[in-house]
């Protein structure tokens, strides 16, 4: 079944039959050769793949050329798989989407301290905190209240209200540590509340 799925994915991405290697009874490694950099996001929309959810999960490294990058891309796929295994993963985990968190996750204790230090009161468990963190992350990514509201499918005033709450909970003004704050928010969005210190 996994080999058939690998062939379906290769066809979707415009690749010939993939090179595959069983890696245990429930895992298959596959390498694809494409004439140009493939759009890996197409995989998630593959009907044959969607029909097998949640049984099948896929992790992919960054596409690249050359022997050394062949090896590195495989290592990236394994790191993406490890991140997916520690979370509630989407059917497809691309290393490019979890690269930063993967690099940081080598020391969970240090990562937890960074999250607590940067998020302050936003590092609280529950739906309300999750909603505020999601809003803050989307706002930082989009750069404006209007774009964040559009991305979240809510009214601009809702984003404004939530961001006022975010500002009250942060240990320092949002503009002072934007990069560290975005990293902390992205870590929690990827790894979940398990990175919160007890």
């Amino acid at each position: 079944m996994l080999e058939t799925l690998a062939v379906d994915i290769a066809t979707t991405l415009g690749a010939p039959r993939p090179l595959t290697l069983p890696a245990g009874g429930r895992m298959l490694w596959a390498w694809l050769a494409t004439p140009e950099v493939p759009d890996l996001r197409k995989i998630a929309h593959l009907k044959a793949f969607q029909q097998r959810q949640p049984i099948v999960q896929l992790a992919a490294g960054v596409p690249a050329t050359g022997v050394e990058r062949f090896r590195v891309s495989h290592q990236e796929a394994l790191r993406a798989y490890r991140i997916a295994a520690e979370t509630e993963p989407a059917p497809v985990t691309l290393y490019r989407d979890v690269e930063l968190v993967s690099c940081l996750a080598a020391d969970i204790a240090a990562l937890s301290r960074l999250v607590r230090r940067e998020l302050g009161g936003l590092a609280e468990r529950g739906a309300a905190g999750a909603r505020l963190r999601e809003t803050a992350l989307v706002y930082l990514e989009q750069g404006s209240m209007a774009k964040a509201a559009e991305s979240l499918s809510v009214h601009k005033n809702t984003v404004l209200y939530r961001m006022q709450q975010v500002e009250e909970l942060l240990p320092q003004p949002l503009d002072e540590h934007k990069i560290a704050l975005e990293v902390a928010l992205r870590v929690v969005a990827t790894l979940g509340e398990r990175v919160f210190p007890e």
Side-chain angles (χ1 to χ4, degrees):
M1 190 254 305
L2 293 177
E3 288 187 4
T4 300
L5 180 57
V7 170
D8 290 346
I9 291 169
T11 302
T12 299
L13 298 179
R17 185 170 183 85
L19 169 64
T20 60
L21 179 67
R26 298 174 56 183
M27 183 180 290
L28 179 75
W29 294 343
W31 292 268
L32 309 177
T34 56
E36 41 189 60
V37 177
D39 178 3
L40 297 179
R41 298 197 188 282
K42 289 180 179 177
I43 298 170
H45 303 294
L46 188 64
K47 284 186 182 178
F49 181 72
Q50 291 176 334
Q51 291 167 355
R52 293 186 174 98
Q53 293 177 33
I55 299 168
V56 177
Q57 294 172 335
L58 182 136
V62 178
T65 59
V67 174
E68 177 61 17
R69 284 297 304 157
F70 178 88
R71 183 183 63 80
V72 169
S73 183
H74 177 64
Q75 290 173 336
E76 291 170 348
L78 293 175
R79 291 179 77 174
Y81 174 77
R82 281 193 288 275
I83 291 292
E86 294 180 17
T87 64
E88 294 179 13
V92 178
T93 302
L94 304 181
Y95 180 71
R96 194 69 189 102
D97 293 342
V98 297
E99 182 173 20
L100 177 62
V101 174
S102 174
C103 292
L104 294 170
D107 186 342
I108 290 292
L111 195 54
S112 292
R113 290 191 296 272
L114 175 131
V115 165
R116 173 58 75 185
R117 185 172 49 250
E118 295 304 323
L119 298 187
L122 274 182
E124 297 300 329
R125 300 176 194 282
R131 186 171 45 252
L132 291 178
R133 288 190 300 273
E134 177 190 28
T135 301
L137 181 57
V138 171
Y139 170 74
L140 289 171
E141 289 172 342
Q142 299 295 328
S144 80
M145 297 282 181
K147 288 181 180 177
E150 184 179 336
S151 180
L152 292 166
S153 300
V154 298
H155 193 275
K156 182 181 171 183
N157 288 344
T158 301
V159 174
L160 179 61
Y161 175 69
R162 288 181 189 171
M163 289 308 296
Q164 288 169 344
Q165 291 179 295
V166 166
E167 289 273 10
E168 290 171 9
L169 292 170
L170 288 175
Q172 68 275 327
L174 184 138
D175 290 334
E176 284 187 12
H177 293 107
K178 272 188 177 177
I179 293 174
L181 175 60
E182 186 172 349
V183 167
L185 289 166
R186 194 169 299 285
V187 164
V188 178
T190 303
L191 295 179
E193 295 179 351
R194 74 187 188 88
V195 296
F196 292 162
E198 295 298 332

